[in-house]
Amino acid sequence: MGYKKPLPKPNADTRPFWEGCKAHQLRFQKCSQCGHLRWPPSVICPICHSSQTQWVVASGKGRVYSFALYRVAFLRTFEGDVPYVTTVVELAEGPRILTNIVGCSPSEVRCDMPVEVVWDDVTDEFSLPKFRPTSGT
Amino acid sequence: MDLKRLKDRYAIVGVGYTPQGKVAERTALSFYIEACANAIKDAGLKKEDIDGLICYRHFEPLGDDVEVTPYLVAQLLGIRPKVLAQEANCARNQMLHAIGLIEMGFCNYVLIAYGDNAYSGRRTFMKEATHGEPVADNAAFGEFGLIANYAMAARRAMHLFGTGPQTWKEIAVSQRKWANLNPKAMMHDRPLSYEEYMAASWVVEPFRIYDTCLISDGGRAYIVTSTERAKDLRNPPVVIMGIGQSNPSVDVHQSDFMAGPTGAKIAGEIAFEMAGITVDEIDACEIYDCFTYTVEITLQDYGFFGPGEGKDWFKDGRTAPGGEIPVNTSGGLLSEAYFMGLTPLTEGVMQLMGRCGQRQLGHTTETKEPQIILCSDNGGVFQSHCAIILRRL
């Protein structure tokens, strides 16, 4: 019984991010010139066009920027998950990434709610960064 | 940017329709050809007059269809235009390109077209979004494109300025009333009440089924030329008073425009400045309405009302037949049929030509006699916006 849902398809730009996820790290490119953390990955910084880049690890803390509640399964493999929440989380360091909220009921999700990363090790190759409400808030 | 010299210099002279809604056993290409041929006929032109052909973005072919290219459309129309083009990613610049080509003397008559067999071909619109992230990476989280992208934008707007179903039901119901007057509309025979709207099933919350546009078979086309040439043709010319475009481009996930201002703000400002008018002089609007929220945020960004004021603004049928400012008088993408920005734009043209039968603005529908109509086109997920102000010559 393998994992049946779609998996990421890393390309030359996104591979370092997914390799980071496998190590349970949220890695982003940081511009060495202006300090901007960018997403999605790219060869230059969209703010200052510098190509000097380092990969840094984000804290995994953030807030729900917005979310959508799937009431219908667009793929059969998600039928068991409906209703589920897809979310854009704005990380404390700036980048906004698409993810899911877990660890609370869909009706409890709110914009600007504080969340933290939790790793879903779906296969040996892939860990998906998901987010849960920050404990104690 | 001084666009004022271009005001009223270009006109739309013909519109091409096809059978639409559920039309089985047809290729997408066949709808392009039929819509184009009908637009040429409608304008009273010969096919040899067409020296520019611009096709909208075409999605991946369905079933065993061939890929729609402007080469094929030209071949099957039997024309050899000087300029052929097709946009790749919903940028919706077609009319600007047409005006530019005519302005520089390269073309005289530019034909712009779209067609699809999306209904019969069961297009799911799961791959068609224009993300910065690979589609498979988003699918890993159960995110499948356009409905959720716009739903997320609408959710942010609910959070920031308190919009929601109470606003959107007015949009859905008012547009349905227009569709009920339009025999070509897919929803012509299907009235919609507030109660039915509120009781409808969710698709991706906060959107119910009636917040989402239709998926249609069919095509649409129109022809742009100079106002001087337009005066010699058979239809009353509808001139382009103002046009503005803005392309924020950023994927909605990383955008700062979920709750506006979208590209509509800058595009609208450019178009109104060129036209030398304000929103108060607009008699009706034909707004790209992939979702109800798109109508709200577009009109909000144009300045018809402030953030969150749409809830009252749309009330009491203001945009419905008999209303003060009619919006989406064919039923729009929500209730007529989906032909990208050509559903709203061609409706604006047909209204100003006075060819809309039972839904004609003016005394027939107890609305203002239309002189000036504001149309919009929107691509991607608020990544591209075109505002077009049309007037009767």
Side-chain angles (χ1 to χ4, degrees):
Chain A
M1 287 297 283
Y3 183 72
K4 293 279 176 22
K5 288 176 181 167
L7 287 167
K9 289 183 180 161
N11 59 33
D13 291 332
T14 60
R15 194 163 291 117
F17 174 81
W18 290 112
E19 283 170 357
C21 289
K22 197 175 166 184
H24 289 193
Q25 288 187 340
L26 276 174
R27 292 180 190 162
F28 292 94
Q29 288 168 302
K30 182 175 183 177
C31 175
S32 305
Q33 185 166 297
C34 76
H36 175 67
L37 255 72
R38 64 182 180 260
W39 180 258
S42 175
V43 290
I44 61 166
C45 169
I47 306 296
C48 74
H49 284 200
S50 167
S51 56
Q52 298 301 307
T53 302
Q54 51 176 322
W55 286 85
V56 297
V57 179
S59 64
K61 307 270 188 205
R63 63 178 177 126
V64 171
Y65 188 76
S66 194
F67 62 98
L69 177 54
Y70 274 78
R71 295 284 198 152
V72 173
F74 285 48
L75 272 192
R76 210 160 266 166
T77 45
F78 283 89
E79 275 171 1
D81 297 335
V82 170
Y84 66 91
V85 177
T86 59
T87 315
V88 167
V89 164
E90 184 172 85
L91 294 160
E93 293 82 1
R96 287 200 209 129
I97 61 168
L98 181 84
T99 180
N100 299 124
I101 296 295
V102 296
C104 71
S105 104
S107 63
E108 291 173 305
V109 180
R110 298 281 180 275
C111 289
D112 292 337
M113 179 169 108
V115 291
E116 61 192 6
V117 72
V118 47
W119 294 97
D120 189 358
D121 302 323
V122 294
T123 67
D124 289 344
E125 281 307 301
F126 288 104
S127 295
L128 302 180
K130 297 188 174 177
F131 286 78
R132 67 179 176 212
T134 305
S135 46
T137 55
Chain B
M1 185 158 51
D2 181 19
L3 296 174
K4 288 200 179 85
R5 66 187 176 83
L6 299 178
K7 178 186 175 185
D8 296 343
R9 272 171 63 91
Y10 299 97
I12 297 166
V13 291
V15 174
Y17 288 81
T18 72
Q20 65 184 42
K22 183 183 178 187
V23 190
E25 294 299 315
R26 289 277 303 257
T27 59
L29 181 62
S30 77
F31 289 120
Y32 276 85
I33 304 306
E34 187 175 2
C36 286
N38 285 341
I40 296 167
K41 191 189 285 179
D42 185 58
L45 292 168
K46 300 189 302 292
K47 66 178 178 155
E48 291 74 17
D49 294 325
I50 302 301
D51 45 18
L53 170 66
I54 304 177
C55 297
Y56 266 66
R57 170 196 189 187
H58 197 77
F59 299 127
E60 200 173 289
L62 295 167
D64 298 322
D65 271 22
V66 294
E67 186 183 350
V68 175
T69 65
Y71 293 140
L72 262 177
V73 176
Q75 178 186 330
L76 298 179
L77 287 171
I79 62 173
R80 296 184 171 209
K82 292 198 187 81
V83 173
L84 281 183
Q86 181 171 37
E87 62 156 340
N89 293 302
C90 278
R92 315 289 172 101
N93 291 301
Q94 296 85 349
M95 190 185 274
L96 276 186
H97 292 166
I99 291 171
L101 290 167
I102 304 168
E103 174 70 15
M104 70 178 177
F106 220 88
C107 294
N108 291 328
Y109 299 98
V110 179
L111 174 57
I112 297 171
Y114 178 71
D116 200 12
N117 50 354
Y119 185 97
S120 296
R122 304 178 66 84
R123 189 181 291 290
T124 59
F125 290 91
M126 279 163 57
K127 297 181 199 158
E128 284 82 356
T130 44
H131 286 303
E133 308 102 4
V135 169
D137 294 10
N138 290 336
F141 297 97
E143 211 269 17
F144 302 105
L146 293 163
I147 297 182
N149 298 157
Y150 278 91
M152 217 177 261
R155 173 67 70 181
R156 182 79 189 161
M158 289 169 78
H159 177 65
L160 287 189
F161 58 78
T163 186
Q166 295 304 327
T167 306
W168 306 331
K169 75 176 185 190
E170 302 286 348
I171 296 169
V173 167
S174 291
Q175 286 192 211
R176 183 60 63 87
K177 286 179 182 163
W178 284 111
N180 296 149
L181 299 174
N182 179 5
K184 287 183 75 69
M186 291 175 79
M187 295 294 142
H188 176 250
D189 301 324
R190 307 258 300 268
L192 176 67
S193 67
Y194 293 136
E195 293 70 31
E196 284 167 293
Y197 171 93
M198 293 306 288
S201 55
W202 299 105
V203 186
V204 178
E205 209 176 315
F207 288 155
R208 294 172 167 84
I209 189 86
Y210 296 120
D211 292 306
T212 69
C213 67
L214 299 165
I215 292 174
S216 315
D217 298 326
R220 199 66 63 81
Y222 71 98
I223 295 170
V224 187
T225 189
S226 68
T227 302
E228 281 316 297
R229 283 197 170 78
K231 287 175 183 165
D232 298 330
L233 297 175
R234 56 187 286 259
N235 287 320
V238 171
V239 300
I240 299 155
M241 207 180 172
I243 181 165
Q245 183 106 16
S246 176
N247 297 295
S249 303
V250 179
D251 171 14
V252 69
H253 293 161
Q254 285 91 41
S255 81
D256 57 6
F257 50 71
M258 281 191 186
T262 64
K265 185 161 193 304
I266 290 171
E269 285 166 2
I270 296 168
F272 277 104
E273 193 192 337
M274 174 174 160
I277 62 165
T278 68
V279 291
D280 297 336
E281 285 156 273
I282 297 296
D283 298 318
C285 296
E286 308 294 348
I287 301 299
Y288 181 89
D289 54 327
C290 49
F291 299 94
T292 47
Y293 170 64
T294 316
V295 179
E296 179 192 7
I297 195 65
T298 301
L299 291 174
Q300 182 172 302
D301 285 344
Y302 284 155
F304 282 90
F305 48 82
E309 292 170 10
K311 189 174 172 184
D312 293 325
W313 194 87
F314 284 102
K315 254 190 191 157
D316 304 321
R318 183 185 224 137
T319 64
E324 188 186 328
I325 175 124
V327 174
N328 294 348
T329 55
S330 72
L333 304 169
L334 294 176
S335 282
E336 186 210 342
Y338 186 87
F339 303 118
M340 297 217 176
L342 297 184
T343 300
L345 182 81
T346 55
E347 176 67 9
V349 172
M350 294 298 276
Q351 285 287 356
L352 290 170
M353 286 180 176
R355 299 166 66 188
C356 287
Q358 234 191 319
R359 70 179 190 281
Q360 179 61 48
L361 294 172
H363 62 86
T364 311
T365 52
E366 296 176 342
T367 51
K368 241 185 294 179
E369 200 69 42
Q371 299 297 327
I372 301 177
I373 295 183
L374 170 60
C375 305
S376 78
D377 200 346
N378 161 87
V381 185
F382 299 123
Q383 286 150 293
S384 180
H385 191 95
C386 188
I388 301 164
I389 303 171
L390 301 174
R391 80 173 179 96
R392 192 178 271 182
L393 195 61

